[in-house]
Structures are given as structure tokens and as C-alpha cells.
Amino acid sequence: MRSSLQRAPGAGARSASAARPAAAAAAAAAGARRRAVVVRAAGSTYGNAFRVTTFGESHGKGVGCVVDGVPPRLAITTEEVQKELDRRRPGQSIITTPRKEEDTCEILSGVADGVTLGTPIAVLVRNKDQRSGDYSEMSVAYRPSHADATYDFKYGIRAVAGGGRSSARETIGRVAAGAIAKKLLSEVAGTEVLAYVSRVRGIDCNVDEDTFTMDDVESNIVRCPDQEAAKKMIDAINEVRNRGDSCGGEVTCVVRRCPKGLGAPVFDKLEAELAKAMMSLPATKGFEIGSGFSGSSQLGSEHNDEFYIDGSGGVRTRTNRSGGVQGGISNGENIVIRVAFKPTSTISRPQRTVTREGEETELRARGRHDPCVVPRAVPMVESMVALVLADQLLQHYAQCEILPRLDGGSPDATLAKQFAGAAK
């Protein structure tokens, strides 16, 4: 059997005489690039003030995250992190992958006696149910629409078993970090981040985005609060699963009681950060906020969100076609986003592909895979939204709340109260 780590085909095949001039030219070009470019990261870290780095491969010894920038004195327990991980773990139902992993987390640093220390928090989940032999065919041929080929193109070496770093198992670190971010947002501003499955294939649902609860989401295996639509979604997933195929869908995420003022103008708009975070999740293919693409067919008079003063004297909008963000900055209304997920790439039906040596062949993939990734994507979407907001919250505090406000249009009362208390 081949090793699960592979080098690019043909490495070392050139003659020494032909390779020397090319190597010298490549070295000179690389030197010039090094003088002009500073590489800050390699794609596994997100955030500025609240920074998260994930690590690990699907069939390695473990996966997890390091979270830096978490404020000290935040109450967080292993059980709170574990609760979120249990929502994304495999083997939950007949419509998810049958891989059996408990995904038990260990907090290795940054927390003592249930309280954060302000130092980096490391969370580890050890892999247990590995079947690397299920991936022997993939060591020879690329799975269509998977990351097998592109990882090979980029690195010239890859971890074959389970897709390695491209596996959705990488999101364990995101969800663990997201549990911490959710707790911070809740403690500081009472912010709630809730997502649900809003579509599977062509089946939509009807959900009141102001009132649905976590219990509503978790009331069925497809995570759709609309019970009638949920039954149809489950049937649709089972139908493609029985045929050895897969399907996609959409997740809607609602943020309630988001502080006003999060985000920044121009390049770091809040919706831009949310879009990047969502599109970094495995299998994502689309992002919308508020009215999304449908808003492009409306007139300004139809789309604009008119302002009014509510009973407490605060500035509100009568409608929310902006999705809680205007000018790249949160306005205090519900943030509403939708994320589209493609059908799972790995299916058990035979497909045409090519080998690493460039020969056309047919591949029937083995292994354990979700027939539809959308139900397990719900906590992943929530976590990434929470990470974005936690990062923006800390940046907002650092820039805009360190000095007293002399005037301004309806500053966020929750944040103002928090800073007034801290200043005493």
C-alpha cells in the first residue's frame, strides 16, 4: 500500500545537468520575491483581536484550535465547548456520515477554574475512528470536485486519508473557538447567534426569524424549525443517500441583539468579513445578506429601510432588507445571512477522473461521508459568525469606546454601560 503522504509524480526525474540552470533561475526569482513580499500567514488563522488558528488532519492524531485574544475573566467550561462540538460530530443520524467519533475535547491551556486567563486557549480533540484503508483508491486517482487535485497542485504532497486538511473535520477547531466567542458575545451584549437549515435541494421552509429557538432547530435531525418542511427534507436526503448520491442546500443564520457599530468602512465591512468567514467553510458556494440577490430587482423606494425612533428613544429601521448591516457597519437590527452548500463531493457512484500520473480512469469512492452536509453545517455557520462578531467587538472597543462620547447618533447603550462600569 502507498504511504498516505504523497510526493508529486515525477519528482527527481530530471537529469542533473538540465536541472542546474533551471534551479539557479528559480532560486534567483525566489530571492527577488522574498525581498518584495512578506508572508503573514498560511491560511489557517482568522481574526485580528480575537485570533483563531486551527490545526490537524482528518485521520491524523487529532484536530483542534488555539484561540488568542480572549479577554480574561470570561467564564467558560469544557462542558460548554463540548455541547457545541456534540452538535457537529459525525454519526448523529441516518442522514449524516456513519463515522463514530465522540469528539471529546480537552482544554489544554488558557482556562483555570472555569475562567479564562487572557492567555492563548488551546483545545484538542483526538481522532479515534480512522479507516485509512478506505482511501487507498484516492492515493492513485483524484475524487471529482474534491480538493485532492488542487492540494496536489499547490503543495506537491498531501494526506490522502479522509481528505486530510480539506476534510470537514477541520471545523472542529472552529466550533470549539466559536463556543468561546458565543459566550463572550452573550456576556457583553446579550447577543444570540442561531442558524437553521432553510433549504435542501428544492425544498424551502417557513420560519419566523424573530422567534425561533435552539430547541426548535434541534427538534429534528435535519435542523429545520419548520416541522413539515423538515420531513420532506429528510425524505429527500434519504432518497439520494440510497442511490449513492448527495445533495446540497442552504443554511440561514440570524444574529439577534448585535451591538451597533461593529464593522469598518471600505475593505473591512462587516458583511465582507462575514462573507469571507462563510466562504471559508467546506462545501460553500454562495453567500447572501439581507435581501441578497433578490434586492437587485427592486427600486430604491422599495428596498430602503426607513428609520424611526422606538419607545426607548433608540434609532430603529421599519424593515430589514439591509440584513442588519449598512455601510459595512451593524445597525442593531437582526443580522440575517444565507449560505449555500454544494452537494458532498465524495459519492459512492462510479465517476470518471484521472490518476496522479495523468491517466484517465474510473473511480468508485469508498469511506463514510454525509449525503448532505447541510444539517451538520448549522453549528459551523453559527461558530464562524460568532468568531467574526467577537473579533469586531474587540476591535470596536479598542478604537471607538476608549474615549468618552461627546455626541453621536444613538450609541449602543449596552456597550456604553459596559465601559462606564469599567471606567469607575
Side-chain angles (χ1 to χ4, degrees):
M1 181 185 295
R2 292 174 180 242
S3 167
S4 62
L5 287 176
Q6 299 181 328
R7 298 186 181 277
R14 298 185 186 134
S15 67
S17 59
R20 277 194 293 270
R33 286 195 299 271
R34 280 195 296 270
R35 288 190 292 272
V37 178
V38 177
V39 179
R40 295 183 58 194
S44 292
T45 299
Y46 177 79
N48 294 294
F50 193 103
R51 290 177 64 82
V52 179
T53 300
T54 69
F55 62 84
E57 290 81 36
S58 175
H59 284 232
K61 292 183 178 180
V63 292
C65 65
V66 176
V67 191
D68 205 358
V70 180
R73 303 180 300 281
L74 175 70
I76 192 75
T77 64
T78 302
E79 289 73 24
E80 288 175 295
V81 177
Q82 189 64 55
K83 181 179 179 180
E84 292 298 320
L85 290 175
D86 287 344
R87 296 176 65 212
R88 74 141 303 279
R89 67 178 175 82
Q92 296 179 41
S93 69
I94 59 172
I95 62 170
T96 62
T97 170
R99 179 172 175 171
K100 296 295 182 182
E101 292 279 7
E102 295 179 358
D103 285 353
T104 303
C105 69
E106 305 170 46
I107 298 180
L108 305 180
S109 66
V111 177
D113 299 322
V115 177
T116 59
L117 301 174
T119 54
I121 299 173
V123 182
L124 172 66
V125 171
R126 301 181 190 276
N127 294 330
K128 295 181 179 179
D129 187 19
Q130 300 133 306
R131 297 182 189 174
S132 298
D134 286 349
Y135 299 88
S136 56
E137 293 93 343
M138 285 68 135
S139 67
V140 178
Y142 300 127
R143 290 170 292 179
S145 286
H146 210 283
D148 297 346
T150 52
Y151 268 53
D152 226 356
F153 299 158
K154 180 172 180 64
Y155 298 109
I157 187 171
R158 64 191 176 100
V160 175
R165 189 77 174 134
S166 68
S167 168
R169 194 147 181 78
E170 175 272 332
T171 62
I172 283 177
R174 305 178 190 226
V175 173
I180 301 169
K182 280 185 177 182
K183 186 65 180 290
L184 176 64
L185 293 164
S186 176
E187 288 288 311
V188 172
T191 303
E192 184 179 30
V193 182
L194 277 178
Y196 65 94
V197 173
S198 51
R199 186 176 62 80
V200 169
R201 300 192 74 186
I203 303 165
D204 294 308
C205 65
N206 184 19
V207 175
D208 186 336
E209 293 173 350
D210 290 318
T211 61
F212 80 95
T213 65
M214 175 72 78
D215 288 341
D216 294 331
V217 174
E218 297 296 328
S219 64
N220 56 69
I221 59 176
V222 79
R223 292 199 167 106
C224 176
D226 182 339
Q227 300 301 324
E228 290 302 314
K231 293 176 184 177
K232 296 176 182 178
M233 291 176 181
I234 293 169
D235 289 342
I237 295 172
N238 274 325
E239 192 269 331
V240 297
R241 178 178 66 88
N242 292 333
R243 291 194 283 114
D245 216 327
S246 64
C247 62
E250 292 180 12
V251 170
T252 295
C253 187
V254 180
V255 182
R256 299 171 184 155
R257 297 180 295 280
C258 178
K260 298 176 182 177
L262 302 192
V266 195
F267 297 112
D268 295 332
K269 288 181 168 67
L270 184 57
E271 63 262 58
E273 291 297 308
L274 288 168
K276 177 180 179 179
M278 294 306 105
M279 296 305 291
S280 75
L281 286 167
T284 50
K285 284 297 177 185
F287 170 84
E288 287 187 335
I289 183 167
S291 63
F293 284 95
S294 66
S296 64
S297 63
Q298 293 181 303
L299 300 174
S301 57
E302 298 170 319
H303 190 271
N304 288 346
D305 296 317
E306 295 183 345
F307 290 109
Y308 74 100
I309 303 298
D310 67 10
S312 63
V315 177
R316 298 287 308 277
T317 62
R318 298 186 186 281
T319 54
N320 191 26
R321 300 182 187 94
S322 301
V325 180
Q326 294 172 325
I329 299 171
S330 61
N331 64 6
E333 304 297 333
N334 286 351
I335 294 176
V336 183
I337 67 170
R338 288 169 295 280
V339 188
F341 289 83
K342 68 182 179 68
T344 312
S345 296
T346 307
I347 60 177
S348 58
R349 301 178 68 172
Q351 301 177 91
R352 298 296 302 173
T353 185
V354 298
T355 67
R356 301 182 86 236
E357 286 70 32
E359 297 178 355
E360 294 190 2
T361 186
E362 185 177 87
L363 174 69
R364 184 190 292 270
R366 292 186 294 154
R368 298 156 294 173
H369 310 284
D370 293 90
C372 180
V373 300
V374 184
R376 287 212 296 143
V378 166
M380 302 176 196
V381 169
E382 290 178 1
S383 295
M384 289 308 300
V385 169
L387 292 177
V388 171
L389 296 180
D391 189 41
Q392 294 296 324
L393 184 67
L394 294 181
Q395 292 181 70
H396 175 80
Y397 270 31
Q399 181 190 10
C400 298
E401 303 293 344
I402 195 168
L403 296 176
R405 290 177 180 262
L406 302 179
D407 196 6
S410 185
D412 192 287
T414 303
L415 298 188
K417 180 179 178 181
Q418 183 82 3
F419 270 95
K424 290 179 181 179

